[in-house]
Amino acid sequence: MRILVVEDDRLLGDGIRSALQKAGETADWLTCAEDAWHTLQLEHFDCLLLDLGLPGMDGLELLRKLRRSGNELPVLILTARDAIEDRIAGLDAGADDYLLKPFDLAELKARLRAVTRRYKGYSDTTLQIGELQIDAQAQSVKYRGQPVTLSRREYGLLQTLAENAGRVLSRDRLEETLYGWGAEVESNTLEVHIHHLRKKLASSLIRTVRGVGYMIDKAE
């Protein structure tokens, strides 16, 4: 998944982004709420990791602004504020979960999986579409009961398409999810990943919608 980290502590923000990327996620990082607000109007993310104590517009104000605008993006608050009143304020403002600093990366990843699963409408770690089975916790794939070995990018692409089964996703959306900011992507990279997935799974699993993008059909 693609995660936006909003944290003004540069050492911590860069550390979170790097740790998530090493764990196989796509993570982008900003240091102020104003930039995050504008970015979220233009780009797609699967989750927002939000610090409360930001300069200028604080985290709670950004969260309230997002919810008032109808943005339902899952939000996980990261903060050193441990007073119960602060936690209540964050949850009442529309946060999906709350994690106190310092935190363990394994717990952060587990909470990310939980809030995004709820948002995307499935209750456990396994996503089943016809003969395709994806375990988000283990980051493993089975097709027709047999395990399939995928690269990190192939897995991320397949998971994104599967979580949006029945919807056509544009090339830009898929590249943003796989690479985030700053990555140099060859013009045919996405097509290469699609080709490999079709060879490893089934040529008919991922459909090309000409001029629009790619999709996986919903299971009958």
Side-chain angles (χ1 to χ4, degrees):
M1 58 186 149
R2 188 184 185 200
I3 302 157
L4 180 61
V5 181
V6 186
E7 167 62 64
D8 66 321
D9 183 314
R10 293 187 177 274
L11 186 62
L12 180 58
D14 187 50
I16 293 171
R17 177 182 58 181
S18 298
L20 289 172
Q21 288 175 340
K22 288 177 182 176
E25 311 296 352
T26 301
D28 294 309
W29 167 45
L30 293 171
T31 58
C32 74
E34 288 87 353
D35 288 346
W37 166 251
H38 293 301
T39 298
L40 289 167
Q41 311 311 301
L42 301 172
E43 300 186 37
H44 175 85
F45 293 87
D46 296 294
C47 190
L48 172 63
L49 295 185
L50 180 62
D51 181 37
L52 292 184
L54 298 170
M57 184 196 306
D58 69 13
L60 280 181
E61 187 178 349
L62 172 61
L63 179 54
R64 293 188 183 105
K65 196 170 179 178
L66 286 172
R67 296 307 188 226
R68 285 196 301 266
S69 72
N71 190 320
E72 297 179 350
L73 177 71
V75 176
L76 174 57
I77 287 177
L78 302 177
T79 185
R81 300 178 187 176
D82 59 357
I84 188 66
E85 293 83 2
D86 291 320
R87 287 185 243 177
I88 291 171
L91 294 170
D92 284 345
D96 296 273
D97 203 354
Y98 205 108
L99 189 58
L100 290 175
K101 303 173 185 176
F103 52 84
D104 184 82
L105 179 61
E107 182 180 5
L108 172 60
K109 289 170 58 182
R111 288 176 182 267
L112 282 170
R113 290 194 298 268
V115 298
T116 53
R117 279 201 311 271
R118 291 195 296 268
Y119 177 67
K120 292 171 180 176
Y122 56 102
S123 57
D124 61 25
T125 63
T126 302
L127 177 61
Q128 183 91 34
I129 301 174
E131 296 177 298
L132 174 67
Q133 184 182 83
I134 300 175
D135 187 329
Q137 182 173 357
Q139 293 196 341
S140 62
V141 174
K142 289 184 178 180
Y143 187 67
R144 295 177 177 169
Q146 298 300 311
V148 181
T149 301
L150 301 178
S151 71
R152 180 169 73 88
R153 302 291 191 198
E154 290 166 359
Y155 174 83
L157 176 57
L158 181 65
Q159 183 181 36
T160 299
L161 289 166
E163 288 176 340
N164 293 276
R167 296 176 54 201
V168 183
L169 299 184
S170 71
R171 178 194 183 92
D172 287 346
R173 162 75 182 278
L174 291 170
E175 287 183 344
E176 285 177 0
T177 300
L178 287 179
Y179 294 99
W181 301 330
E184 293 188 10
V185 185
E186 297 290 337
S187 60
N188 68 335
T189 298
L190 183 62
E191 285 76 11
V192 170
H193 291 322
I194 294 285
H195 174 71
H196 289 164
L197 286 173
R198 285 170 172 161
K199 284 187 67 176
K200 293 178 179 182
L201 299 165
S203 60
S204 60
L205 182 65
I206 301 172
R207 288 206 294 122
T208 300
V209 181
R210 291 196 178 279
V212 185
Y214 299 94
M215 69 179 293
I216 288 178
D217 289 316
K218 285 186 175 180
E220 297 295 333

